[in-house]
Amino acid sequence: METVFIIDDDPAMRSSLSRLLRANDISTEQFSSAQDYLERNSYDGIGCILLDVNMPGISGIELQARLVGSGHDLPIIFLTGYGNISMSVEAMKRGAIDFLTKPVDEADLLPAVTQALEHHHSLREKSSIREEIEARLSSLTEREKQVMHELITGAPNKIVADHLNIAVKTTKVHRANLLQKMGVRSIAELVHLCHIVGTEPESNDTI
Amino acid sequence: MIAAACGMLGLIQIFLWTNSRRDFAYLLSACMAFSASFVAFQEMRLFSTPDPALYQQMLLWQNLAIAMVLVPMTWSVRIYLPATRRWAAILITTLWVLGLLVNFLLPGNLTFVEIHSIALKATFWGDPFYVPRGTVNDWKWLVDITVILIPIYIIDAAWRSKGPLRGKRGGVITAGVVLFMLFAGIQAIAVDTGMIDAPYMVSVAFLSMVFALTWVFARDAVRARKLTVEVARAQHENERLMRLNLLGEVASALAHELNQPLAAMLGNAQAAQKFLSRPEPDIDEIQDILTDIVRDDKRARDIILNMRQMLKGDETFESHVNVESVIKWVLGFLNNEINVHDIAVEFDISGEIPDVGGSRIALQQVILNLLINAKHAMVESGTSDKVIQVHLRENRGGAEIEVCDSGPGIAEDVRLHLFDPFVTTKKGNLGMGLVICRRIVESRGGRLTAENEDGGGACFRVWLPAGIS
């Protein structure tokens, strides 16, 4: 279930945004202040935040800083009463996905929300894939890891065996094992997985 | 004839004085003109007085009259030429007072200790007149000095005056007084000492002096009247300008204020369109949406109405203005402005607050002004902990509103002129805000005062009497 969190101090504004999203079959939750939102239990699902910039107490920009700092990953769409360029640049730099000016038209709001939700979705997907790859990586033995690092540079078995000072036959066994553990069938696939988690090939002279 | 002219001028001065009682100069001038008139009358009688005793008696009073011309003249010149030296005016007065003491207390009078004889002479055109011959009083120098002192006193002042005072007005006073003072003084001294045989002609000179001063003063009076009318008109215009100025100040607040209901209406309307396009529209939902749209539309309308009234200055008098609601409206209006600058606002009420009489708009304006001033004071000084405290309390049967900030307070040199026009610490500001606020408050029988708090920060206090119930 996807949820849009609306944070705005004006109740009329909140209910109007909420209705508009509900009319487009998107469920919402409303908060009258940043503090209220912070007090809510953490949310694990897919969603995004529609955040008013000017609010009494903790301002929208401040809330963004806090959320980014504490590792929240919900994309933020800012809503502001009047366009303030320096403020919007600052917000975008900190990772806001969009900056909309009130009154916001449905034709602008819906694509922004949809994009934010998709963004969050792929963010979550990527992170689950990463977790999987990392789990597989950690199941490798020390020797298998060494062999893998050699292989992803494109080195043939013979060279790998040479570098690691082991027999070519042993190299072939390690290679078959690690490919199986990593759940891939070719070196090309292995390189792709390593790229996702950021494991880069080590240069030859490290060993 | 000279006597009549002087008397006439005296009447003019009296008239001017009664018209503007505060202007002491007119009273002085009137006194001067009447004394000059007396001098002229006496001089005429002296022409035909052959009796030395009577002549002495008349000179006694003549000296008093001359003093009554010269001393007020010295002071009235001072009012119009502020550059005159005070000690010089006091010196001239003292000399004359001493002279008069001699005049009345010592034997004879200030001019002659005693008159031996009266000589009959004729002017060159043949009219006969009497000239006294006697022992000149040793103390006469006391007042003779003033013949030189007064011209120096005036020339010095005219010379040191700046701007328009140095120009025409200063010129008229200086020329009129100096020339004739010298003429009258020297002529009188010459006649007293018997250097020349001529009738006293002090009054001719006095007439010129009085005329010069009256002319200048009367012209000023006419000008002042014109200015008063202009000032009143300017003040009215200023009040309107301040409203415009205020609007400029709160333009962003206004945009935000209007934007909220507009944004809410747009969202609601588009949601309704979506709901209606469903196969089975939820009528209750749409009903709710329409109710909200109507509410928000009214909210926007109220904002615009209020603004328009403020712009036009359409101040309808109400006998029951609820101060609390006005303060809340203004705080709401400035909400955005306050948030943007990270200002904490505390509003508390103590006691049973009576409604006040007057215009709601005008009161809004005053409170808006005080709040914006407080905001400016803190934002421009870079105060880190920005707090505005608004207290509303019952006091002396009226309502007292206090707006305090946590800024640096009012600088001492500014505080003295806080309610003067064109005193401002803000860039691009005319400095009319507080002037008009005070005018608005006072025109409703209230008071507006300002002071610094002990812990720093400025406090503005508005007291308004309760409205008629």
Side-chain angles (χ1 to χ4, degrees), chain B residues 371-383 386 405-410 425-426 457-458 460:
Chain B
L371 285 171
I372 287 174
N373 279 348
K375 183 205 86 179
H376 267 282
M378 295 190 293
V379 171
E380 271 165 31
S381 63
T383 308
K386 296 191 272 287
D405 63 52
S406 60
I410 311 157
T425 56
K426 288 180 242 165
F460 283 83

Side-chain angles (χ1 to χ4, degrees), chain B residues 80-94:
Chain B
Y80 275 81
L81 284 178
T84 49
R85 297 181 199 271
R86 189 154 174 265
W87 61 264
I90 292 173
L91 177 65
I92 292 163
T93 312
T94 313

Side-chain angles (χ1 to χ4, degrees), chain A residues 19, chain B residues 272 275-276 278-291:
Chain A
R19 277 202 193 105
Chain B
F275 282 129
L276 278 173
R278 286 182 177 175
E280 283 175 19
D282 181 348
I283 295 301
D284 287 345
E285 178 84 64
I286 288 160
Q287 190 65 47
D288 285 351
I289 288 176
L290 289 176
T291 309

Side-chain angles (χ1 to χ4, degrees), chain B residues 189-252:
Chain B
I189 292 169
V191 174
D192 292 343
T193 51
M195 279 197 301
I196 52 166
D197 286 335
Y200 285 114
M201 296 211 307
V202 174
S203 60
V204 179
F206 278 2
L207 171 67
S208 314
M209 284 195 282
V210 170
F211 185 77
L213 286 177
T214 307
W215 185 63
V216 169
F217 290 175
R219 205 187 44 180
D220 282 354
V222 172
R223 220 179 260 168
R225 167 67 45 83
K226 261 193 212 158
L227 277 177
T228 313
V229 174
E230 263 168 48
V231 163
R233 193 182 304 145
Q235 222 158 40
H236 190 75
E237 181 61 18
N238 266 332
E239 228 172 293
R240 210 179 65 81
L241 276 180
M242 185 188 78
R243 292 194 192 101
L244 289 176
N245 200 15
L246 258 185
L247 274 184
E249 290 259 16
V250 295
S252 63

Side-chain angles (χ1 to χ4, degrees), chain B residues 55 59 111-112 129-134 136 140 184-202:
Chain B
Y55 208 107
L59 277 181
T111 320
F112 296 109
F129 64 93
Y130 291 99
V131 192
R133 294 271 185 262
V136 172
K140 203 165 86 72
I186 291 165
Q187 202 255 354
I189 292 169
V191 174
D192 292 343
T193 51
M195 279 197 301
I196 52 166
D197 286 335
Y200 285 114
M201 296 211 307
V202 174

Side-chain angles (χ1 to χ4, degrees), chain A residues 10 16 19 24 81 102 106, chain B residues 259-260 264 268 270 274 278:
Chain A
D10 184 3
S16 150
R19 277 202 193 105
N24 288 282
K102 290 183 205 173
E106 189 182 9
Chain B
N259 227 357
Q260 292 294 109
N268 274 324
Q270 287 181 327
K274 264 279 150 56
R278 286 182 177 175

